[in-house]
Amino acid sequence: MRFNDGYWLIKDGVKPYYGLQLVKSVEIDDSLHLQVSSKPIRHRGDTLAGPVFDVKFHSPTEGIIGVRITHFKGIRPVTPEIPLFPNATPEPSNVSISIGEKPSISTGGLTAAINPKPYSFTFSANNRVITTCHPKSQFIADVAHRWTTTSASSTTCLANDISANPYRTPEPATVRYIAQEFNVSPGEKFYGFGEQFGAFVKNGQRIDIWNQDGGTASEQAYKCVPFYFSTAGYGLFVNHPGEVEFEVGSEKVSRVAISIRGEQLEYFFISGSTPLEVLSRYTLLTGRPALPPLWTFGLWLSTSFLTDYGTETVTGFLEGMKQRNCDVRVFHLDCFWMKQYEWCSFTFDPENFPNPAEYLSSIKEKYGVKICLWINPYISQFSPLFDEAAREGYFIKRTNGDVWQWDLWQPGLAIVDMTNPAARQWYKSKLVALMDLGVDSFKTDFAERIPHMNIKYHEDKYDSYAMHNMYTIMYNQLVHETLEERYGKGGAVVFARSSFAGGQRFPTHWGGDVESTFEGMAETLRGGLSLTLSGFAFTSHDIGGFEGTPPAHVYIRWLAYGLFSSHSRLHGSESYRVPWVYGEEAARILAKYLNAKHRLMPYIYAQAIAAHRLGYPIQRAMLVDFIDDRTAHCLDQQYMLGPSLLFAPVFGDDNHETEYYLPAGTWTAYTPLLGSGKPRVVRGPRWVKEVVPLSEIPAYVRAGSVLALGPSDMKKPDYNLAEDVELRLYHPELGKTVACEIPSGHGAEIAATVTVTSDESQVVVKVVQGSLGGWGVRLFEDPTLKIDGVVGATLDGSGEECVNHGGILFRADSGVTEVIIRRTINPVTV
């Protein structure tokens, strides 16, 4: 919300009340409570009337300070509330509170210090001021209605479509807002806010936290999250389920402003020494992701949306993929597995799938696939389920008692009321029946266009504006928990489009409806990087784009980006995404990338476990790992996959000159994705500008990394990750010990921990915990080196493997737990 006319003037019709003076501070139950007057207090007469704000500073866990600003305490809290610490225990917070002339509260090196007159405060960490709330930066404002009509909740079709909102109530003349502003320091940049597809750096943008179905090429977003990350070294989460309006250096260029409608605003200021620590603390607060099953990291193939398909098409796709070494791990049936006009009926169309249980069983046995079905929480009035659900009160209703309906997407569709326990159980029973047929997962589509005006829920205490964003959490939680009940903890996965704060608990999420262009590919990457800077760990998208048919070079370039995302799905709208549609060369390239991803599963699944335990994102922006490199702050066309691998997708054909950045240190090309044989070594920081063959992607490994790889040609991601492991050592740093955890592939279990220690004369690789079933070491070092001897392994300097991948390969002797490589280094300039 913008309250000002320029910097000096207030808009006509806006009446602000600023917190101007601290009049009282008191410590209550490890919290700092302030009374803040909206006018100067010169004598007792000035204490008559208000507003006077009740401001509470508290620490729910180490390194986080919450601030709750309340005007009227008697107003009921906005519900449903965002769950806090839903699946983790707060870390004990050693809170220190000072009362006096300058009150303060501290936890874990983070301090909020209050200046009484004029009222202001700072957040600082380790004696460094992170940001400041200046005087007149905390306030309520009564705003003429005409200034509120540009908010997302007012401009949406849900507010203006005659079917969505036919019985309109008169708008109030004035709307009450409560707001908070923070300083924007020179050079400070902001990120996150959920899956935002616009400019990656959010400075200068107005962002409304209000889920909408707007594709990837607009300011609308499927997954809005009221959280941002700042390069000043903090994250900020607004604990409000409804619409939150952010002005990020847009109304006032040196302020980031937060505003909501109502009488109370709460936010949490999250500190951390690194971006990962900030994200870890944020996900501790709002929820850590479930660990997806290992099989979900394989290739997903879809029927596409509007294409013709039945059992013959599906079988043909799976057979064609198998013959081309592009083995599918999950086959997805999109909307038309049900009859047209009946979505959702949860019943297979008998014309295309006359015996679904038998057919699903046959393709699962023959091709080793899991089955995913498309669903949504909407029920067409032509669905055979509509009358029952309407009769039993399972739908969202209008305030006059009618079922809420409109015609967008399906004719006369209604929306299941997820606040109704009976409706949830009814919806769940439909999913259970499908799992009985052999379904393993559900694509939980839609849930963005949830009505908020003149409607009511079964749980009548819930605010309709809050439910607009929170609905998707209830929907995805219901489906995820239903899958967990059948397949156990660690056995459930949804493929969701919409989400909100805390939705990271129910992975995975894909980027929505994107055009089949390089511009669409770039939008998708920006959206994914913003999402993983908002607490989400796992991301996916429609490889090749959704809308339209991609040219072959777009499809092939997109394959590399898609396969080296956490989850990989081929899906389109009006055209198929099987590779031979784009030429047999596309199929050969896909097979190469898929084999490479399967080999990387010990590394990738270790990152998934870290995400589950600590909230670390897998696919993440460069700044997450290189926050001290200012160049990394703006990079949105490349990413890190975990802490070791850098990928720079190419947004052009085979004549395109791409450009990417390598931060400080030694980087080794990850072969055979980028070249083969003796891999190229580049010393950063530097920009690399080059033409990249269509069959390659710039992929580099960071110096000091220990990369665990599985065997080649496994055909799937879910194999014994601790068997026949190749440990790749990239330029081990002298005098340091690096640990590498090798998962077993069974949930979060770690099969072995390996340490690598390097000095001037030798490299020692040791299994310090657990065991490996056969393993080897491949050493990459950019100086010329002479191998003086090896203990516990045999040097293998021949074979196609060495020709393709480079490095020096040592195969560990049977039963050994330690390999010592003695070598002489002769440094050279690279």
Side-chain angles (χ1 to χ4, degrees), residues 25-27 32 34 96-106 112 114:
S25 62
V26 62
E27 179 181 353
L32 176 62
L34 310 179
S96 173
I97 294 175
S98 174
I99 302 295
E101 292 186 3
K102 290 195 173 183
S104 66
I105 180 172
S106 299
I114 292 89

Side-chain angles (χ1 to χ4, degrees), residues 53-65:
F53 302 114
D54 178 1
V55 183
K56 175 185 176 182
F57 287 77
H58 62 108
S59 177
T61 188
E62 189 80 359
I64 299 180
I65 292 178

Side-chain angles (χ1 to χ4, degrees), residues 217-238:
S218 76
E219 81 285 357
Q220 297 180 8
Y222 304 103
K223 309 170 191 68
C224 295
V225 180
F227 171 86
Y228 68 75
F229 173 79
S230 163
T231 54
Y234 74 95
L236 191 139
F237 167 58
V238 179

Side-chain angles (χ1 to χ4, degrees), residues 116-138:
K117 185 178 179 181
Y119 172 65
S120 61
F121 54 90
T122 61
F123 283 104
S124 60
N126 302 317
N127 299 315
R128 178 181 66 88
V129 173
I130 300 175
T131 194
T132 301
C133 167
H134 293 285
K136 301 175 74 171
S137 290
Q138 197 179 84

Side-chain angles (χ1 to χ4, degrees), residues 469-477 499-503 505-506:
N469 286 334
M470 288 293 291
Y471 183 94
T472 179
I473 301 296
M474 296 181 179
Y475 165 46
N476 281 292
Q477 181 172 5
S499 197
F500 182 60
R505 290 177 287 153
F506 316 114

Side-chain angles (χ1 to χ4, degrees), residues 692-770:
V692 178
L694 207 56
S695 61
E696 298 181 0
I697 178 175
Y700 288 86
V701 188
R702 189 178 183 179
S705 296
V706 180
L707 210 58
L709 274 67
S712 188
D713 298 321
M714 294 303 293
K715 308 296 186 184
K716 61 181 182 178
D718 42 326
Y719 55 87
N720 185 345
L721 302 183
E723 187 80 27
D724 295 327
V725 175
E726 179 182 301
L727 298 171
R728 290 192 175 185
L729 317 183
Y730 289 87
H731 312 280
E733 189 172 348
L734 300 182
K736 283 202 170 181
T737 297
V738 178
C740 174
E741 291 187 333
I742 315 294
S744 68
H746 301 294
E749 179 184 79
I750 300 299
T753 301
V754 177
T755 60
V756 177
T757 304
S758 176
D759 60 30
E760 293 181 352
S761 63
Q762 64 183 21
V763 177
V764 179
V765 185
K766 187 174 184 179
V767 180
V768 296
Q769 186 174 348

Side-chain angles (χ1 to χ4, degrees), residues 403-587:
V403 171
W404 185 95
Q405 291 180 263
W406 70 345
D407 286 320
L408 196 58
W409 179 240
Q410 286 286 281
L413 73 79
I415 302 177
V416 176
D417 184 349
M418 291 293 171
T419 75
N420 184 341
R424 290 199 301 271
Q425 188 61 37
W426 174 81
Y427 193 90
K428 175 182 174 180
S429 70
K430 309 306 177 187
L431 306 183
V432 169
L434 291 169
M435 288 189 288
D436 290 342
L437 297 178
V439 174
D440 303 284
S441 177
F442 295 101
K443 172 183 171 182
T444 47
D445 207 352
F446 288 87
E448 303 93 359
R449 289 179 178 150
I450 303 302
H452 60 289
M453 289 186 166
N454 302 309
I455 59 104
K456 63 180 180 180
Y457 286 90
H458 173 83
E459 185 58 74
D460 58 6
K461 69 179 180 180
Y462 283 173
D463 179 87
S464 61
Y465 275 75
M467 277 297 299
H468 173 83
N469 286 334
M470 288 293 291
Y471 183 94
T472 179
I473 301 296
M474 296 181 179
Y475 165 46
N476 281 292
Q477 181 172 5
L478 172 65
V479 178
H480 195 274
E481 289 178 350
T482 301
L483 288 163
E484 272 191 340
E485 287 178 14
R486 170 63 61 91
Y487 300 117
K489 290 282 186 182
V493 68
V494 298
F495 210 86
R497 188 174 74 175
S498 62
S499 197
F500 182 60
Q504 67 269 10
R505 290 177 287 153
F506 316 114
T508 188
H509 298 82
W510 101 97
D513 299 346
V514 58
E515 293 184 328
S516 299
T517 63
F518 283 126
E519 290 76 16
M521 181 175 159
E523 292 162 8
T524 297
L525 180 52
R526 290 195 299 270
L529 296 181
S530 294
L531 186 68
T532 57
L533 272 168
S534 305
F536 287 70
F538 305 99
T539 57
S540 189
H541 53 268
D542 295 339
I543 297 174
F546 178 75
E547 299 288 355
T549 301
H553 62 274
V554 172
Y555 177 85
I556 290 171
R557 293 294 196 195
W558 212 319
L559 285 175
Y561 163 39
L563 266 294
F564 299 107
S565 300
S566 73
H567 288 78
S568 309
R569 184 181 73 154
L570 294 165
H571 178 67
S573 179
E574 298 178 356
S575 55
Y576 299 125
R577 291 293 179 266
V578 287
W580 55 89
V581 170
Y582 307 92
E584 290 299 332
E585 180 63 15

